[in-house]
Amino acid sequence: MSNISVRKGTAADMPAVHALVRELAIYEKAEHEVHTSVEEYTRDGFGDRPFFECYVAETPEAGIIGIAFFYLAYSTWKGKMLYLDDLVITESFRRQGIGSLLLNRLVQHAREHDVNQVRWQVLDWNEPAIRMYEKVGADLDSEWINCKLSKEQIAGWGG
C-alpha cells in the first residue's frame, strides 16, 4: 500500500471519478439512478462556484482507484459541516485500507475548515462499509429517515 497516494481531485480526473461513481451504482444495483455526466462534474466542481470537492487515491500503475466526493454544508444545529456524498474504492483494491486513507484525508480537510461535523450515509446491507465505519469509530445513526425530492417532483411541486 506504500505506492498509494491521496490528492485533491482535478477537472482532468472527472472521467475516472465518474467511472467510480458508476461502479458504486452498479454495486448498489442502482446504475439507472446515475444521471450525471463527466461534463457536469467538470462544470459543477471547477467553475466559479464549485458545488463539490473530491480526493482521489491513486497508484502509478492503476491510476485512480478510489474517491472521497464531498461538499461543505451548514447545519442550523451544528454549524459548518462536511457531507461525504460518496466514498468509493474500485473492487479489486477494496479491503486494503484505501478507504481509511481517504477518510483520514477527509477528516484532515474537516479540521482545516473547522467544521463541527462530518456526515454521510451507508446502505443498511453494505456490511463491508458498515464494518469499516464502525472500525474508525463513526456513529451509525438509525434514528433519522432520509427524505428526498426528485427533479420531477421539484418541477411538479404545487406546495
Side-chain angles (χ1 to χ4, degrees):
M1 199 165 72
S2 60
N3 65 342
I4 296 171
S5 61
V6 174
R7 63 171 173 80
K8 184 106 173 191
T10 66
D13 297 327
M14 292 305 101
V17 169
H18 191 266
L20 281 168
V21 169
R22 193 163 284 291
E23 182 178 335
L24 175 65
I26 291 167
Y27 175 74
E28 293 180 350
K29 298 172 182 48
E31 185 180 16
H32 62 283
E33 295 288 332
V34 178
H35 299 287
T36 53
S37 67
V38 172
E39 294 76 22
E40 288 174 288
Y41 282 10
T42 304
R43 179 194 68 217
D44 296 342
F46 301 92
D48 293 337
R49 184 175 177 253
F51 283 88
F52 69 87
E53 299 177 69
C54 70
Y55 286 105
V56 297
E58 64 185 348
T59 71
E61 306 80 26
I64 295 174
I65 56 170
I67 61 166
F69 194 101
F70 65 95
Y71 55 89
L72 295 175
Y74 201 85
S75 164
T76 57
W77 287 19
K78 304 296 181 191
K80 289 190 291 186
M81 59 174 259
L82 185 152
Y83 185 80
L84 173 62
D85 196 52
D86 276 329
L87 179 69
V88 188
I89 313 303
T90 196
E91 187 172 8
S92 61
F93 283 88
R94 291 181 191 152
R95 294 171 194 75
Q96 297 181 32
I98 299 163
S100 293
L101 287 175
L102 285 163
L103 276 176
N104 288 343
R105 184 58 189 99
L106 193 72
V107 169
Q108 181 182 344
H109 186 92
R111 287 178 179 155
E112 291 166 358
H113 289 81
D114 194 31
V115 304
N116 299 316
Q117 188 175 66
V118 176
R119 288 187 190 174
W120 69 93
Q121 298 169 307
V122 61
L123 289 169
D124 61 359
W125 57 262
N126 191 344
E127 289 297 326
I130 290 169
R131 283 193 304 273
M132 182 186 76
Y133 297 144
E134 289 173 338
K135 184 178 176 184
V136 299
D139 293 329
L140 286 104
D141 186 347
S142 62
E143 183 179 2
W144 291 86
I145 296 173
N146 294 312
C147 303
K148 63 183 177 182
L149 292 172
S150 69
K151 185 172 187 161
E152 294 76 18
Q153 290 167 314
I154 293 167
W157 186 266

